[in-house]
Amino acid sequence: MTTAPVRSATTLAARLASRAGGGLLRVALIVIALFWLMPTVGLLLSSLRGSADIAASGWWRVLTAPSQLTFANFRALLGNSAITHSLLNTLYITVPATVLVVVIGALAGYAFAWLDFRGRDWWFLTVVGLLVVPVQIALIPVARLFGDIGIFGSITGVVLFHTAFGLPFAIFLLRNFFAEIPRELLEAARLDGAGEVRIFSTVVLPLGGPAIASLGIFQFLWVWNDMLVALIFANSDSAPITVALQQQVRQFGNNIDILAPGAFVSMVIPLVVFFAFQRQFVSGVMAGAVK
Amino acid sequence: MRTRFWVAALFLLPALVLLGALVVYPIGYSIVRSLYDARGSGFVGVRNYGTVFSDPGTLTAIKNNAVWVVVAPSITTALGLIFAVLTERVRWGTAFKLVVFMPMAISMLAAGIIFRLVYEQDPNRGVANAAIAGVHDVFSPSSVYPGARPRPGADLSPSAGGSYTTRSTARAGTPALLPLVGIPETNLPSTAQQAAAPRGGGSGVTGTVWLDFRPGGGGRPGVIDPGEKGLKGVTVQAVRGGRVVASARTAADGTFTLPATAAGARLRLPASNFAAGYGGVDWLGPTLVTPSIIGAYVWMWAGFAMVLIAAGLAGVPRELLEAARVDGAGEWQIFRRITVPLLAPVLVVVLVTLMINVLKIFDLVYIIAPGATQNNAMVLALKLYLTSFGGGDDQGVGSAISVLLLLLVLPVMVFNIRRIRRERRR
C-alpha cells in the first residue's frame, strides 16, 4: 500500500470520484442503474406491445419501431371484469388490514410503553418472540379454524390473518417509539385529569405520527404485495390481483399481453406509495429488519 | 402507579386475541398436527418428519433451501455494501439508491413475471439471452439457414461435418441446381426474391441455390417454379481433391458464379450454412433454475441491504478515517480494517434478516420456475403449499415442514428476546 495524501474528501467513493478514475465510477454507477432498471422497463414495454409483436421479438425492438406501442393490452385488461374485480379485492383487503394493524398495534404499543400492569415485560418479550414466526406455521391450522367459523374464502379471513401477522412488528415498532415520548407530557395530561383513553388519543397518537406513517406504509405494501396468504384464504370471488395473475402464469408464453400489463397495474399503487413516501418506507423497512 | 387491570386489558385485548388465535394457537396446533397422518385421524409419531428427510422431493427442497440461505443473503449483502460505499458522497447517489431500492416496493409476483420475461429462452425474446447471443455472434456468427437440407433426390449428399457435396462434378456452361428444403417460408428474410435460373455462357461455373418449396403447393421437385424463393448469402465452394479451389456466395435470386477454375470440381455447401443459431442459455432448465431465481431475488433485495448499510456508513466517525489516513493507511486498508469492522453489526442484521426472509421464499420460486423444472427449484415453503393445499392433501407432512421452518428461525427468536431483555435492564 502506498501512502495517500490527506485531502478534504474523506470517503473512498469521494476520493475515487476526485481522481481520474472518477469518470469510471460515474460510468459504472450509471451502467448499474440502467441494468437495475432494465427488467422493469422490459415489463412496461412488453405490456405496450400487441401479442403478435410480443411473440415475434423482444421488447427492445420497440426502441427502433415505436409504432408498435399500443394501449390495447391495458384497455383489454381494464375491460376484463375478473381483473378489475380482483384489483378491488386487493384494495378491500389492504385498507382494512392496514388500518386494523395500526389501530390495534397502537393500542397495545401504548399499553406496553406507558401502562403499568402485571407481567408487562413478559408479555412484551412474547410479542418480540413472535416477530420472526413464519406465516407458514399458521396456514394449515388457520385454514381449518376459518373453515369452522365460516370465513374461509372470504375477504374477512384474509384481512384477519394479515392483521394478526402484522401485529408483532406493529406493537414492537410503536412501543419503542411511544416510549421515547417525554414522561412530563403524559404526566401533565394525567394531572389535568385526562384518562388513559384521552392521553392515548390526544397526546400519544399525534406525537407518534412518524412511526405510525412508517408502519402504515410498510404494512400497506406488505399486504398489497402478498400472494401466499390470499392464495390459501381467499376464493375465486375474493382473490386479489396477485392471485388472479398467478393463475395466468401457468400458461406463461402465450398470455404475456395479459400478464405484463397485469403485473404493471398491480405495481402502480405500490410504486406511487413508494415514491411519495420513500422516507417513511425506508424507516419502516429499517425498523423491520430481523422480522 | 399501577394501572387498573381492565384499562390495560382494554388496550391489549384486540391484539392478544388476534395473536393468540391466529399466531400462538396455530404453533401448538401445527406441532400436534405434524404427529398425525394425512387425514389427521391416526397418530403416527415422528413418521412425517421421517418422510420430510427421506422423500426425494423434500430432500431437494431442503438442499435448495440450504443453497438459498447461504448464497442469496451473502451476494445481496455484498452488493449492498458495494453500492452503499460507491454512492456515498456522490451527488446523485440518492437517485441511484432510489433505482436500486425500487424493486423492494413491488410484489414478488410482479418481480417473478418480470424475470420470466428476462429469462425467456429464445434470444429474440428474452433479454438475458439476447445479450449473451449478441456477444456469442461476434465470435461465431450464426448461419443464415439453420436446419436446411437438400431436397431428397437432388444431386447433393451429406459430407463431412454437416456439409453437403454434389455427386457429379461441375461443368462450365451447365448450371448446377442445388434445391434445399427444411426452412420455414417465414424464416426467409423479407428481401428474398424469386429464384432465377443461372445465366449460362461464359467460362465460369454457375448455379442456383433455392428453397424448392412452393407456397400453396404445385411445385415440381428439383425445378425452379414461380413462387419459389432464392436463398441469398449461401456459401458455395468448389472442391477438388479435398481442397477448396473457389468459393462464391449466392445473390438474392439464389444464383452464384464460380470462376472457370471450378470446372471439374465438386460443389460443396459447407456446414456453416446450416449450423443452428445460438439457442440461448437455458436459464430455467434443471441446472440453472435455482441460481436464476436467486438472481431475481438479489435484484429485489440488494436495495434493502444498500439502504441499511448506507445508514450504518453514515455513522462511521470521519475522524477515525482521517486519522488512519494521516498514519499512511491506503484506501483499501481503511475499508478492510476500519469501515467493515465498524459496519459489522449492521452487516449481521442485514444477513440475518435476509436469511430469515430467504428461508420462507415462496412466491418467486412458484412464479419463475416453469412446471417442467419446478421440482428442480423446489423449496420448503413451496413444498408445504403443494403438499397441503395445491394438489396434494397431506397436512401431516405439511405441518412437519412448517414446524421445521419454525425450528430454523428459533435461534433468531431467542437472540431477539435476549437482546430486548438486555436493553430493558439498562
Side-chain angles (χ1 to χ4, degrees), chain A residues 10 15 36 58 137 144 225 290, chain B residues 29-30 105 124 322 331 353:
Chain A
T10 51
R15 293 168 68 89
W36 234 258
I137 194 88
R144 201 191 148 88
N225 287 334
V290 190
Chain B
Y29 183 99
S30 286
N124 283 325
E322 282 307 334
E331 289 301 334
T353 306

Side-chain angles (χ1 to χ4, degrees), chain B residues 359-375:
Chain B
L359 209 57
K360 303 178 286 187
I361 192 78
F362 169 79
D363 314 35
L364 270 188
V365 180
Y366 194 35
I367 298 297
I368 297 182
T373 50
Q374 191 182 57
N375 281 329

Side-chain angles (χ1 to χ4, degrees), chain B residues 88-175:
Chain B
E88 212 200 3
R89 297 281 176 95
V90 173
R91 226 179 315 129
W92 39 273
T94 320
F96 177 88
K97 282 183 184 145
L98 214 56
V99 166
V100 176
F101 195 62
M102 186 272 296
M104 271 293 286
I106 70 173
S107 63
M108 290 227 175
L109 166 100
I113 293 174
I114 286 175
F115 275 84
R116 271 300 275 271
L117 289 169
V118 168
Y119 289 138
E120 277 213 76
Q121 166 98 57
D122 183 351
N124 283 325
R125 296 174 63 182
V127 70
N129 273 340
I132 291 178
V135 175
H136 184 270
D137 283 355
V138 170
F139 298 104
S140 60
S142 54
S143 71
V144 219
Y145 303 110
R149 58 182 190 277
R151 150 79 69 198
D155 183 34
L156 280 165
S157 59
S159 48
S163 61
Y164 296 99
T165 312
T166 55
R167 293 186 198 92
S168 55
T169 50
R171 292 218 310 269
T174 313

Side-chain angles (χ1 to χ4, degrees), chain A residues 1-4 6-7 9-16 25-26 29-30 32-33 36-40 43 46 54-60 104 107-108 110-112 115-118 120-121 123-125 127-134 136-146 160-161 163-165 167-168 171-172 175 190 196-197 200 221 225 227-228 231-232 242 245-246 249 252-253 256 259 263 266-267 270-271 274-275 278 281-282 285-286 289-291, chain B residues 1-3 7-8 10-12 14-16 18-19 21-27 29-30 33 79 83 85-90 92 96 98-110 113-118 120 123-127 130 298-300 302-304 307-308 311 318 321-322 325-326 328-333 335 349 352-353 356-357 360 362-363 366-367 381 384-385 388-389 395 398-399 402-403 405-406 409 412-413 416-417 419-421 424:
Chain A
M1 283 286 153
T2 54
T3 49
V6 184
R7 295 195 196 163
T10 51
T11 66
L12 179 59
R15 293 168 68 89
L16 280 175
L25 173 71
R26 207 164 301 163
L29 286 179
I30 290 174
I32 295 170
W36 234 258
L37 272 177
M38 193 164 55
T40 318
L43 179 82
S46 295
I54 292 174
S57 58
W59 52 264
W60 51 91
I104 297 176
L107 285 171
Y110 174 71
F112 283 124
L115 298 186
D116 189 13
F117 54 91
R118 210 132 68 98
R120 183 177 76 171
D121 287 358
W123 283 107
F124 184 64
L125 287 177
V127 171
V128 169
L130 296 181
L131 273 175
V132 291
V133 171
Q136 278 79 5
I137 194 88
L139 298 178
I140 292 168
V142 174
R144 201 191 148 88
L145 181 72
F146 282 179
L160 286 179
F161 191 92
T163 307
F165 271 86
L167 275 175
I171 296 171
F172 178 70
R175 190 219 78 100
R190 282 209 178 103
E196 297 299 344
V197 177
F200 173 72
L221 290 175
N225 287 334
M227 180 177 87
L228 174 61
L231 205 53
I232 286 167
T242 46
L245 290 175
Q246 181 272 325
V249 172
F252 189 91
I256 295 173
L259 277 175
S266 81
M267 285 162 53
L271 286 180
F274 168 70
F275 282 113
Q278 300 156 34
F281 180 53
V282 168
V285 165
M286 303 228 298
V290 190
K291 182 187 173 182
Chain B
M1 185 178 76
R2 181 136 286 201
T3 320
V7 177
L10 188 82
F11 277 92
L12 284 171
L16 293 187
L18 278 172
L19 286 176
L22 302 182
V23 184
V24 178
Y25 157 76
I27 294 176
Y29 183 99
S30 286
R33 183 70 185 77
L79 272 182
F83 292 169
V85 169
L86 288 186
T87 49
E88 212 200 3
R89 297 281 176 95
V90 173
W92 39 273
F96 177 88
L98 214 56
V99 166
V100 176
F101 195 62
M102 186 272 296
M104 271 293 286
I106 70 173
S107 63
M108 290 227 175
L109 166 100
I113 293 174
I114 286 175
F115 275 84
R116 271 300 275 271
L117 289 169
V118 168
E120 277 213 76
N124 283 325
R125 296 174 63 182
V127 70
V298 170
W299 177 77
M300 278 193 89
F304 167 82
V307 165
L308 257 78
R318 301 288 142 205
L321 303 182
E322 282 307 334
R325 252 173 227 129
V326 173
E331 289 301 334
W332 175 245
Q333 234 175 344
F335 178 75
V349 166
V352 172
T353 306
I356 295 177
N357 188 276
K360 303 178 286 187
F362 169 79
D363 314 35
Y366 194 35
I367 298 297
L384 187 164
Y385 172 75
S388 305
F389 298 97
Q395 307 210 323
S399 296
S402 74
V403 172
L405 284 175
L406 183 69
V409 296
V412 181
M413 193 187 276
N416 273 348
I417 292 176
R419 193 187 55 174
I420 299 298
R421 248 171 96 181
R424 307 209 60 189

Side-chain angles (χ1 to χ4, degrees), chain B residues 106-296:
Chain B
I106 70 173
S107 63
M108 290 227 175
L109 166 100
I113 293 174
I114 286 175
F115 275 84
R116 271 300 275 271
L117 289 169
V118 168
Y119 289 138
E120 277 213 76
Q121 166 98 57
D122 183 351
N124 283 325
R125 296 174 63 182
V127 70
N129 273 340
I132 291 178
V135 175
H136 184 270
D137 283 355
V138 170
F139 298 104
S140 60
S142 54
S143 71
V144 219
Y145 303 110
R149 58 182 190 277
R151 150 79 69 198
D155 183 34
L156 280 165
S157 59
S159 48
S163 61
Y164 296 99
T165 312
T166 55
R167 293 186 198 92
S168 55
T169 50
R171 292 218 310 269
T174 313
L177 294 181
L178 306 174
L180 296 181
V181 292
I183 315 160
E185 178 86 8
T186 48
N187 282 12
L188 293 185
S190 53
T191 54
Q193 291 177 14
Q194 164 70 40
R199 288 170 298 278
S203 56
V205 171
T206 60
T208 303
V209 181
W210 84 103
L211 178 58
D212 192 12
F213 171 80
R214 192 173 174 209
R220 292 157 295 169
V223 177
I224 301 174
D225 296 299
E228 293 181 348
K229 297 279 187 354
L231 296 176
K232 185 188 178 194
V234 175
T235 307
V236 182
Q237 296 171 335
V239 185
R240 189 186 288 128
R243 271 186 46 235
V244 177
V245 293
S247 175
R249 275 183 170 247
T250 54
D253 58 4
T255 57
F256 62 91
T257 307
L258 288 161
T261 48
R266 292 178 202 279
L267 298 183
R268 180 167 76 181
L269 302 180
S272 62
N273 290 318
F274 313 112
Y278 181 63
V281 175
D282 191 7
W283 296 106
L284 303 181
T287 41
L288 282 181
V289 64
T290 294
S292 297
I293 303 173
I294 290 178

Side-chain angles (χ1 to χ4, degrees), chain A residues 159-183:
Chain A
V159 167
L160 286 179
F161 191 92
H162 277 307
T163 307
F165 271 86
L167 275 175
F169 172 58
I171 296 171
F172 178 70
L173 178 79
L174 294 182
R175 190 219 78 100
N176 288 348
F177 196 86
F178 291 163
E180 303 287 312
I181 295 172
R183 180 175 285 275

